[in-house]
Amino acid sequence: MPRFAANLTMLFTELPMMERFAAAAAAGFQGVEILFPYDIAARDLSRTAIAAGLDFVLMNTPPPNWTGGARGFAAELGREERFRSDFDRALRFASVLRPRHIHIMAGYAQGPEARDTFARNLRWAADRAPHVGLTIEPLNPADQPGYFLADFDLAAELIAEIGAPNLGLQFDTYHAHRITGDAMAVWRRHAGITRHVQIGGVPGRHEPVGGTFDFPGFFAALDRSGYKGWVSAEYNPASLTAEGLGWLPQP
Ligand SMILES: O=C(O)C(=O)[C@H](O)CO
Ligand SMILES: [Mg+2]
């Protein structure tokens, strides 16, 4: 069975952020991720994760917080300086939090110039932080209109073209379903380059149960594929988080 992490930006939001760690550990998660941890001192987050016995699995490049700001700038021509200073800020956080991955967010841009800009910035980031795992994640255009990376094949193409050992795919069942209608087929096609998995129910983004996707079958497929990464629960709980955790396999 894979190792499961709780996305504390979306789960346990009934509690203040610093109390979500212990709640996640008590529920049986072994790790946590926070999309934009920049509002809180990295040292405090790190101490709290360690105290709860949790690995810190993933964070995103800024924007500064969940509620405000664009989802990154990496594909935006003319915003290279902003991208680079944001990336360095993420690295400063990461030097304390030690996440397994940093998700580099593409931002809002289209066309060949955006593709070139994204590739250039990814190459720069992969060179700048060769010992940090980096991911890119296609987001569905209904939720993120205009976001540059909305295509798994394009993500795979970029990863191959850049060829950096520390750059891989972030595969999210919810986005894969919304983009293609067949998340399992996306997984089969891109399992080899996937470094981080996020799960959310399809077609809604609630608990990973029922719906049109076989989650237990997916977890078994992850094991068969030799996937060694984490599986993070990234969804909007239908009611209280703890009440919807029947899907979480217990160690
Ligand atoms: O929306 C998602 O699925 C993500 O993982 C992003 O990191 C959100 O910005
Ligand atoms: Mg995701």
Side-chain angles (χ1 to χ4, degrees):
M1 201 43 75
R3 284 174 304 169
F4 290 92
N7 181 307
L8 297 186
T9 304
M10 295 176 75
L11 267 57
F12 299 106
T13 55
E14 312 80 7
L15 299 168
M17 178 56 85
M18 298 312 245
E19 293 174 28
R20 294 177 200 171
F21 291 80
F29 288 103
Q30 295 171 270
V32 288
E33 62 182 33
I34 299 180
L35 296 182
F36 306 107
Y38 304 97
D39 287 344
I40 302 175
R43 202 164 298 282
D44 293 341
L45 292 168
S46 171
R47 276 200 203 106
T48 310
I50 291 168
L54 294 162
D55 281 21
F56 199 92
V57 174
L58 173 113
M59 55 184 260
N60 291 354
T61 50
N65 57 47
W66 178 236
T67 47
R71 295 278 181 270
F73 301 96
E76 296 186 26
L77 185 64
R79 308 297 295 272
E80 289 84 352
E81 283 310 309
R82 173 71 197 260
F83 168 72
R84 289 179 181 205
S85 67
D86 279 355
F87 186 74
D88 281 347
R89 185 172 176 218
L91 288 183
R92 287 194 296 278
F93 252 74
S95 70
V96 177
L97 268 181
R98 306 218 165 268
R100 174 144 180 179
H101 301 292
I102 297 176
H103 166 205
I104 296 184
M105 300 214 71
Y108 304 90
Q110 300 302 320
E113 281 184 343
R115 187 195 186 288
D116 290 349
T117 307
F118 195 35
R120 238 187 352 264
N121 281 331
L122 289 174
R123 201 169 278 123
W124 175 85
D127 285 350
R128 188 160 183 83
H131 304 301
V132 178
L134 305 175
T135 59
I136 53 175
E137 177 190 27
L139 304 182
N140 81 80
D143 287 358
Q144 288 293 334
Y147 187 76
F148 172 71
L149 192 59
D151 179 331
F152 282 88
D153 288 343
L154 174 59
E157 203 178 284
L158 284 162
I159 288 166
E161 189 177 302
I162 291 159
N166 58 331
L167 178 66
L169 181 70
Q170 186 165 317
F171 169 80
D172 184 318
T173 57
Y174 167 73
H175 290 297
H177 176 84
R178 293 291 301 260
I179 293 170
T180 70
D182 188 350
M184 197 62 99
V186 177
W187 166 253
R188 282 194 212 100
R189 193 168 161 82
H190 297 301
I193 57 164
T194 298
R195 301 286 166 74
H196 186 58
V197 170
Q198 292 173 322
I199 52 170
V202 296
R205 200 180 199 181
H206 296 301
E207 280 75 0
V209 286
T212 54
F213 189 77
D214 171 14
F215 281 97
F218 177 55
F219 300 152
L222 286 174
D223 285 344
R224 281 196 305 278
S225 75
Y227 176 72
K228 295 277 182 281
W230 287 83
V231 175
S232 286
E234 188 191 37
Y235 58 80
N236 299 305
S239 66
L240 292 178
T241 306
E243 286 174 7
L245 289 176
W247 63 268
L248 178 63
Q250 293 299 322

